[in-house]
Coordinates of all heavy atoms in Angstrom, one line a residue:
I1 N 17.3 23.3 -15.1 CA 17.8 22.2 -15.8 C 16.8 21.1 -15.5 O 16.4 20.8 -14.3 CB 19.3 21.8 -15.3 CG1 20.2 22.7 -15.8 CG2 19.5 20.3 -15.6 CD1 21.6 22.5 -15.5
T2 N 16.5 20.3 -16.5 CA 15.7 19.0 -16.3 C 16.6 18.0 -16.8 O 17.5 18.1 -17.6 CB 14.4 19.1 -17.2 OG1 14.7 19.2 -18.5 CG2 13.5 20.2 -16.7
F3 N 16.3 16.7 -16.3 CA 17.1 15.5 -16.7 C 16.3 14.3 -16.6 O 15.3 14.2 -15.8 CB 18.4 15.4 -15.9 CG 18.0 15.5 -14.4 CD1 17.9 14.2 -13.7 CD2 18.1 16.7 -13.7 CE1 17.6 14.3 -12.4 CE2 17.8 16.7 -12.3 CZ 17.6 15.4 -11.7
A4 N 16.7 13.3 -17.4 CA 16.0 12.0 -17.4 C 16.6 11.1 -16.3 O 17.7 11.2 -15.9 CB 16.2 11.4 -18.8
V5 N 15.6 10.4 -15.6 CA 16.1 9.4 -14.6 C 15.5 8.1 -15.1 O 14.3 7.9 -15.3 CB 15.5 9.8 -13.2 CG1 15.8 8.7 -12.2 CG2 16.0 11.2 -12.8
W6 N 16.4 7.1 -15.2 CA 16.0 5.8 -15.7 C 16.1 4.8 -14.6 O 16.9 4.8 -13.8 CB 16.9 5.4 -16.8 CG 16.9 6.3 -18.0 CD1 17.6 7.4 -18.2 CD2 16.0 6.2 -19.2 NE1 17.3 8.0 -19.4 CE2 16.3 7.3 -20.1 CE3 15.0 5.3 -19.6 CZ2 15.6 7.5 -21.2 CZ3 14.4 5.5 -20.8 CH2 14.7 6.6 -21.6
F7 N 15.2 3.9 -14.7 CA 15.2 2.7 -13.8 C 16.4 1.9 -14.2 O 16.8 1.9 -15.3 CB 14.0 1.9 -13.8 CG 12.7 2.5 -13.2 CD1 11.7 2.9 -14.0 CD2 12.6 2.6 -11.9 CE1 10.6 3.5 -13.5 CE2 11.5 3.3 -11.3 CZ 10.5 3.7 -12.1
D8 N 17.0 1.0 -13.3 CA 18.0 0.2 -13.7 C 17.6 -1.0 -14.7 O 18.4 -1.5 -15.4 CB 18.6 -0.5 -12.4 CG 19.4 0.4 -11.5 OD1 19.8 1.5 -12.0 OD2 19.4 0.2 -10.3
Y9 N 16.4 -1.2 -14.6 CA 15.8 -2.3 -15.5 C 14.3 -1.9 -15.7 O 13.7 -1.3 -14.8 CB 15.9 -3.7 -14.9 CG 15.5 -3.8 -13.5 CD1 14.1 -4.2 -13.3 CD2 16.3 -3.6 -12.5 CE1 13.7 -4.3 -11.9 CE2 15.9 -3.8 -11.2 CZ 14.6 -4.1 -10.9 OH 14.1 -4.1 -9.6
P10 N 13.6 -2.4 -16.8 CA 12.2 -2.1 -17.0 C 11.3 -2.6 -15.8 O 11.7 -3.6 -15.2 CB 11.8 -2.8 -18.3 CG 13.2 -3.0 -19.0 CD 14.2 -3.1 -17.8
V11 N 10.3 -1.9 -15.5 CA 9.4 -2.3 -14.4 C 8.0 -2.8 -15.2 O 7.5 -1.9 -15.9 CB 9.1 -1.1 -13.6 CG1 8.1 -1.5 -12.5 CG2 10.4 -0.7 -12.9
Q12 N 7.5 -3.9 -14.9 CA 6.3 -4.4 -15.5 C 5.2 -3.9 -14.6 O 5.2 -4.0 -13.4 CB 6.3 -5.9 -15.5 CG 5.0 -6.4 -16.1 CD 5.0 -8.0 -16.3 OE1 6.1 -8.5 -16.7 NE2 3.9 -8.6 -16.2
I13 N 4.2 -3.4 -15.2 CA 2.9 -2.9 -14.5 C 1.8 -3.7 -15.0 O 1.8 -4.2 -16.1 CB 2.8 -1.4 -14.6 CG1 2.5 -1.0 -16.1 CG2 3.9 -0.6 -14.0 CD1 2.2 0.5 -16.2
E14 N 0.9 -3.8 -14.0 CA -0.4 -4.6 -14.3 C -1.6 -3.7 -14.5 O -1.6 -2.6 -13.9 CB -0.6 -5.6 -13.1 CG 0.5 -6.5 -12.9 CD 0.7 -7.4 -14.1 OE1 -0.2 -7.9 -14.8 OE2 1.9 -7.9 -14.3
P15 N -2.6 -4.1 -15.4 CA -3.7 -3.3 -15.6 C -4.5 -3.2 -14.3 O -4.5 -4.0 -13.4 CB -4.5 -4.0 -16.7 CG -3.9 -5.3 -16.8 CD -2.5 -5.3 -16.2
D16 N -5.2 -2.0 -14.1 CA -6.2 -1.8 -13.1 C -5.5 -1.9 -11.7 O -6.0 -2.2 -10.7 CB -7.3 -2.9 -13.1 CG -8.0 -2.8 -14.4 OD1 -8.4 -1.6 -14.8 OD2 -8.4 -3.9 -14.9
A17 N -4.2 -1.4 -11.6 CA -3.5 -1.2 -10.4 C -2.9 0.2 -10.4 O -2.5 0.7 -11.4 CB -2.4 -2.3 -10.3
F18 N -2.7 0.7 -9.2 CA -2.1 2.0 -9.1 C -0.6 1.8 -8.5 O -0.4 1.0 -7.7 CB -2.9 2.9 -8.2 CG -4.1 3.5 -8.8 CD1 -5.4 2.9 -8.7 CD2 -3.9 4.7 -9.6 CE1 -6.4 3.5 -9.4 CE2 -5.0 5.2 -10.2 CZ -6.3 4.7 -10.1
Y19 N 0.2 2.6 -9.0 CA 1.6 2.6 -8.6 C 2.0 4.0 -8.2 O 1.5 5.0 -8.7 CB 2.5 2.1 -9.8 CG 2.2 0.7 -10.2 CD1 1.2 0.4 -11.1 CD2 2.9 -0.3 -9.6 CE1 0.9 -0.9 -11.5 CE2 2.6 -1.7 -10.0 CZ 1.6 -1.9 -10.9 OH 1.3 -3.2 -11.2
T20 N 3.1 4.2 -7.4 CA 3.6 5.4 -7.1 C 5.0 5.7 -7.7 O 5.9 4.8 -7.5 CB 3.7 5.6 -5.5 OG1 2.4 5.5 -5.0 CG2 4.3 7.0 -5.1
A21 N 5.1 6.7 -8.4 CA 6.5 7.1 -8.9 C 6.9 8.3 -8.1 O 6.1 9.3 -7.9 CB 6.4 7.5 -10.4
S22 N 8.1 8.3 -7.6 CA 8.6 9.4 -6.8 C 10.0 9.7 -7.1 O 10.8 8.9 -7.7 CB 8.4 9.1 -5.3 OG 9.2 7.9 -4.9
A23 N 10.5 10.9 -6.7 CA 11.9 11.3 -6.9 C 12.2 12.0 -5.6 O 11.5 12.8 -5.1 CB 11.9 12.2 -8.1
V24 N 13.5 11.8 -5.3 CA 14.1 12.6 -4.1 C 15.1 13.6 -4.7 O 16.1 13.2 -5.4 CB 14.8 11.7 -3.1 CG1 15.4 12.5 -2.0 CG2 13.7 10.6 -2.5
L25 N 14.8 14.9 -4.5 CA 15.7 15.9 -5.0 C 16.5 16.5 -3.7 O 15.9 16.8 -2.7 CB 14.9 17.1 -5.6 CG 13.9 16.6 -6.8 CD1 13.1 17.7 -7.3 CD2 14.7 15.9 -7.9
D26 N 17.7 16.7 -4.0 CA 18.6 17.2 -2.8 C 19.3 18.4 -3.3 O 19.9 18.4 -4.3 CB 19.5 16.0 -2.5 CG 20.4 16.4 -1.2 OD1 20.0 17.2 -0.4 OD2 21.5 15.7 -1.1
G27 N 19.3 19.3 -2.4 CA 20.0 20.6 -2.7 C 19.4 21.9 -2.1 O 18.1 21.7 -1.6
N28 N 19.9 23.0 -2.2 CA 19.5 24.3 -1.7 C 18.6 25.0 -2.7 O 17.9 25.9 -2.3 CB 20.6 25.1 -1.2 CG 21.3 24.4 -0.1 OD1 20.7 23.7 0.7 ND2 22.6 24.7 -0.1
E29 N 18.6 24.7 -4.0 CA 18.0 25.4 -5.1 C 16.6 25.0 -5.2 O 16.2 23.8 -4.9 CB 18.7 25.2 -6.4 CG 20.2 25.6 -6.4 CD 20.5 26.9 -6.9 OE1 19.6 27.5 -7.6 OE2 21.6 27.5 -6.6
L30 N 15.7 25.8 -5.6 CA 14.3 25.4 -5.9 C 14.3 24.6 -7.2 O 15.2 24.9 -8.1 CB 13.4 26.6 -6.1 CG 13.0 27.5 -4.8 CD1 12.3 28.6 -5.2 CD2 12.4 26.6 -3.8
S31 N 13.5 23.6 -7.4 CA 13.4 22.8 -8.6 C 12.3 23.2 -9.5 O 11.3 23.9 -9.1 CB 13.2 21.3 -8.1 OG 12.0 21.2 -7.5
Y32 N 12.4 22.9 -10.8 CA 11.4 23.1 -11.7 C 10.2 22.2 -11.4 O 10.5 21.1 -10.8 CB 11.8 22.9 -13.2 CG 12.8 23.9 -13.7 CD1 14.1 23.6 -13.7 CD2 12.4 25.1 -14.1 CE1 15.0 24.5 -14.1 CE2 13.3 26.1 -14.5 CZ 14.7 25.8 -14.6 OH 15.5 26.6 -15.0
F33 N 9.0 22.6 -11.8 CA 7.8 21.7 -11.6 C 6.8 22.0 -12.6 O 6.8 23.1 -13.1 CB 7.3 21.8 -10.1 CG 6.7 23.3 -9.8 CD1 5.4 23.6 -10.1 CD2 7.6 24.2 -9.3 CE1 4.9 24.8 -9.8 CE2 7.1 25.5 -9.0 CZ 5.8 25.7 -9.2
G34 N 6.0 21.0 -12.9 CA 4.9 21.2 -13.8 C 3.6 21.6 -13.2 O 3.4 21.5 -12.0
Q35 N 2.8 22.2 -14.1 CA 1.4 22.7 -13.6 C 0.4 22.2 -14.7 O 0.8 21.8 -15.8 CB 1.4 24.2 -13.5 CG 2.3 24.7 -12.4 CD 2.2 26.2 -12.4 OE1 2.3 26.9 -13.4 NE2 2.1 26.8 -11.2
E36 N -0.9 22.2 -14.3 CA -2.0 21.8 -15.2 C -1.8 20.4 -15.6 O -2.0 20.1 -16.8 CB -2.1 22.8 -16.4 CG -2.3 24.2 -15.9 CD -2.4 25.2 -17.1 OE1 -2.7 24.8 -18.2 OE2 -2.2 26.3 -16.8
G37 N -1.5 19.5 -14.7 CA -1.4 18.1 -15.0 C -2.7 17.5 -15.4 O -3.8 18.1 -15.0
M38 N -2.7 16.3 -16.0 CA -3.9 15.7 -16.5 C -4.2 14.5 -15.5 O -3.3 13.8 -15.1 CB -3.7 15.3 -17.9 CG -3.5 16.4 -18.8 SD -3.0 15.9 -20.5 CE -4.5 15.2 -21.1
T39 N -5.5 14.2 -15.3 CA -5.9 13.0 -14.5 C -5.9 11.7 -15.3 O -5.8 10.7 -14.8 CB -7.2 13.2 -13.8 OG1 -8.2 13.4 -14.9 CG2 -7.2 14.4 -12.8
E40 N -5.9 11.8 -16.7 CA -6.0 10.7 -17.5 C -5.3 11.0 -18.9 O -5.5 12.0 -19.4 CB -7.4 10.2 -17.8 CG -7.5 8.9 -18.6 CD -8.9 8.4 -18.6 OE1 -9.4 7.9 -17.5 OE2 -9.5 8.5 -19.7
V41 N -4.5 10.1 -19.3 CA -3.9 10.2 -20.7 C -4.0 8.9 -21.3 O -3.7 7.9 -20.8 CB -2.3 10.6 -20.5 CG1 -1.7 10.6 -21.8 CG2 -2.2 11.8 -19.7
Q42 N -4.4 9.0 -22.6 CA -4.5 7.8 -23.5 C -3.5 7.8 -24.6 O -3.4 8.9 -25.2 CB -6.0 7.7 -24.1 CG -6.1 6.3 -24.8 CD -7.6 6.1 -25.1 OE1 -8.5 6.9 -24.7 NE2 -7.8 5.0 -25.8
C43 N -2.8 6.7 -24.8 CA -1.8 6.6 -25.9 C -2.1 5.3 -26.5 O -1.8 4.2 -26.0 CB -0.4 6.7 -25.3 SG 0.8 6.6 -26.6
G44 N -2.8 5.3 -27.7 CA -3.2 4.0 -28.3 C -4.2 3.3 -27.4 O -5.2 3.8 -27.0
K45 N -3.8 2.0 -27.2 CA -4.8 1.2 -26.4 C -4.4 1.3 -24.9 O -5.1 0.6 -24.0 CB -4.7 -0.3 -26.8 CG -5.2 -0.5 -28.2 CD -5.1 -2.0 -28.5 CE -5.7 -2.2 -29.9 NZ -5.6 -3.7 -30.3
V46 N -3.4 2.1 -24.5 CA -3.0 2.2 -23.1 C -3.6 3.5 -22.5 O -3.4 4.6 -23.1 CB -1.5 2.1 -23.0 CG1 -1.0 2.4 -21.5 CG2 -1.0 0.9 -23.6
T47 N -4.1 3.4 -21.4 CA -4.6 4.6 -20.6 C -4.0 4.7 -19.3 O -4.0 3.7 -18.6 CB -6.2 4.6 -20.5 OG1 -6.8 4.5 -21.8 CG2 -6.7 5.8 -19.8
F48 N -3.4 5.8 -19.0 CA -2.8 6.1 -17.7 C -3.8 7.0 -16.9 O -4.2 7.9 -17.4 CB -1.4 6.8 -17.7 CG -0.3 5.8 -18.3 CD1 0.0 5.9 -19.6 CD2 0.3 5.0 -17.3 CE1 1.0 5.0 -20.0 CE2 1.3 4.2 -17.8 CZ 1.7 4.2 -19.2
Q49 N -4.1 6.6 -15.7 CA -4.9 7.4 -14.8 C -4.0 7.9 -13.7 O -3.3 7.0 -13.1 CB -6.1 6.7 -14.3 CG -7.1 6.3 -15.3 CD -8.3 5.5 -14.8 OE1 -8.1 4.7 -13.9 NE2 -9.4 5.8 -15.3
F50 N -4.0 9.1 -13.3 CA -3.2 9.7 -12.2 C -4.0 10.1 -11.1 O -5.1 10.7 -11.2 CB -2.4 10.8 -12.9 CG -1.5 10.4 -14.0 CD1 -1.9 10.7 -15.2 CD2 -0.3 9.8 -13.7 CE1 -1.1 10.3 -16.3 CE2 0.6 9.4 -14.8 CZ 0.1 9.6 -16.1
Q51 N -3.6 10.0 -9.9 CA -4.2 10.5 -8.7 C -3.1 10.9 -7.7 O -2.0 10.5 -7.8 CB -5.1 9.3 -8.1 CG -4.4 8.2 -7.6 CD -5.3 7.1 -7.0 OE1 -6.4 7.1 -7.3 NE2 -4.7 6.2 -6.3
C52 N -3.5 11.7 -6.7 CA -2.6 12.2 -5.7 C -2.2 11.0 -4.8 O -3.0 10.2 -4.6 CB -3.2 13.3 -4.9 SG -3.5 14.8 -5.9
S53 N -0.9 11.0 -4.4 CA -0.4 10.0 -3.5 C -0.3 10.6 -2.1 O 0.1 11.7 -1.9 CB 1.0 9.6 -3.9 OG 1.6 8.8 -3.0
S54 N -0.7 9.7 -1.1 CA -0.5 10.1 0.3 C 0.8 10.1 0.7 O 1.2 10.6 1.7 CB -1.4 9.1 1.2 OG -0.9 7.8 1.0
D55 N 1.8 9.6 -0.1 CA 3.2 9.6 0.2 C 3.9 11.0 -0.2 O 4.9 11.3 0.2 CB 4.0 8.5 -0.8 CG 3.6 7.1 -0.4 OD1 3.2 6.9 0.8 OD2 3.8 6.2 -1.1
S56 N 3.1 11.9 -0.8 CA 3.7 13.2 -1.1 C 3.9 14.0 0.1 O 3.0 14.1 0.8 CB 2.8 14.0 -2.1 OG 3.3 15.2 -2.4
T57 N 5.1 14.6 0.2 CA 5.4 15.4 1.4 C 5.6 16.8 1.0 O 5.9 17.6 2.0 CB 6.6 14.8 2.1 OG1 7.8 14.8 1.2 CG2 6.5 13.4 2.6
N58 N 5.6 17.2 -0.2 CA 5.8 18.6 -0.5 C 4.7 19.2 -1.3 O 4.9 20.3 -1.9 CB 7.2 18.6 -1.3 CG 7.0 17.9 -2.6 OD1 6.1 17.2 -3.0 ND2 8.1 18.1 -3.4
G59 N 3.5 18.6 -1.3 CA 2.4 19.3 -2.0 C 2.3 19.0 -3.5 O 1.3 19.5 -4.1
T60 N 3.2 18.2 -4.0 CA 3.0 17.8 -5.4 C 1.9 16.8 -5.7 O 1.5 16.1 -4.6 CB 4.3 17.3 -6.0 OG1 4.7 16.1 -5.3 CG2 5.4 18.3 -5.9
G61 N 1.3 16.7 -6.7 CA 0.2 15.7 -7.1 C -0.1 15.8 -8.5 O 0.8 16.1 -9.4
V62 N -1.3 15.5 -8.9 CA -1.7 15.4 -10.3 C -1.6 16.8 -11.0 O -1.1 16.9 -12.1 CB -3.1 15.0 -10.3 CG1 -3.7 15.0 -11.8 CG2 -3.3 13.5 -9.8
Q63 N -2.0 17.9 -10.3 CA -2.0 19.2 -10.9 C -0.6 19.8 -11.0 O -0.4 20.6 -12.0 CB -3.0 20.2 -10.1 CG -4.5 19.8 -10.2 CD -5.0 19.8 -11.6 OE1 -4.7 20.6 -12.4 NE2 -5.7 18.7 -12.0
G64 N 0.3 19.5 -10.2 CA 1.6 20.1 -10.2 C 2.5 19.1 -9.6 O 2.4 18.6 -8.5
G65 N 3.6 18.8 -10.3 CA 4.6 17.9 -9.7 C 6.0 17.9 -10.5 O 6.3 18.8 -11.2
Q66 N 6.7 16.9 -10.1 CA 8.1 16.8 -10.5 C 8.4 15.9 -11.7 O 9.5 15.9 -12.3 CB 8.9 16.3 -9.4 CG 8.9 17.3 -8.1 CD 9.6 18.6 -8.4 OE1 10.5 18.7 -9.2 NE2 9.1 19.6 -7.6
I67 N 7.5 15.0 -12.0 CA 7.6 14.0 -13.0 C 6.8 14.4 -14.3 O 5.7 14.2 -14.4 CB 7.2 12.6 -12.5 CG1 8.1 12.2 -11.3 CG2 7.4 11.5 -13.6 CD1 7.7 11.0 -10.6
P68 N 7.6 14.8 -15.3 CA 6.9 15.5 -16.4 C 6.4 14.5 -17.5 O 5.5 14.7 -18.3 CB 7.9 16.4 -17.0 CG 9.2 15.9 -16.7 CD 9.0 15.3 -15.3
E69 N 7.1 13.2 -17.5 CA 6.8 12.3 -18.6 C 7.1 10.9 -18.2 O 8.0 10.7 -17.3 CB 7.4 12.6 -19.9 CG 8.9 12.4 -19.9 CD 9.6 12.8 -21.2 OE1 8.8 13.1 -22.2 OE2 10.8 12.8 -21.3
L70 N 6.3 9.9 -18.7 CA 6.7 8.5 -18.5 C 7.0 7.9 -19.9 O 6.3 8.2 -20.9 CB 5.5 7.8 -17.9 CG 5.0 8.3 -16.5 CD1 3.6 7.5 -16.1 CD2 6.0 8.0 -15.5
I71 N 8.0 7.1 -19.9 CA 8.3 6.4 -21.1 C 8.0 4.9 -21.0 O 8.4 4.3 -20.0 CB 9.9 6.6 -21.5 CG1 10.2 8.1 -21.6 CG2 10.2 5.7 -22.7 CD1 11.6 8.3 -21.7
F72 N 7.2 4.4 -21.9 CA 6.7 3.0 -21.7 C 6.7 2.3 -23.1 O 6.7 3.0 -24.1 CB 5.4 3.0 -21.1 CG 4.3 3.4 -22.0 CD1 3.4 2.5 -22.7 CD2 3.9 4.8 -22.2 CE1 2.4 2.9 -23.5 CE2 3.0 5.2 -23.0 CZ 2.2 4.2 -23.7
Y73 N 6.6 1.0 -23.0 CA 6.3 0.2 -24.3 C 5.4 -0.9 -23.9 O 5.3 -1.3 -22.7 CB 7.6 -0.3 -24.9 CG 8.4 -1.3 -24.1 CD1 8.1 -2.7 -24.2 CD2 9.3 -0.9 -23.2 CE1 8.8 -3.6 -23.4 CE2 10.1 -1.8 -22.4 CZ 9.9 -3.1 -22.6 OH 10.6 -4.1 -21.9
A74 N 4.5 -1.3 -24.8 CA 3.5 -2.3 -24.5 C 3.7 -3.5 -25.5 O 4.3 -3.3 -26.6 CB 2.2 -1.8 -24.7

C-alpha cells in the first residue's frame, strides 16, 4: 500500500537551497521503496536536484527511497 502524506500547510522553499524531506514509518512489515531515482528533475522552469542526506538512518537516498513524488506549485 502507498499513500499520500500532506503537510499541514504549504512550505515555501527558496532557490539554491537544499532541504531534507523525511518520513517515519512504524510497524513490523517491510515497506515499499523506489529504485533508480534521479539526481535532477526539471518541470518547466523549476529544477529539483536531489542528493543523499546524512540524516538517513536506513540506507535510503537518491537511488532508492521512500518518497516517490513531490507535489508543488510555483
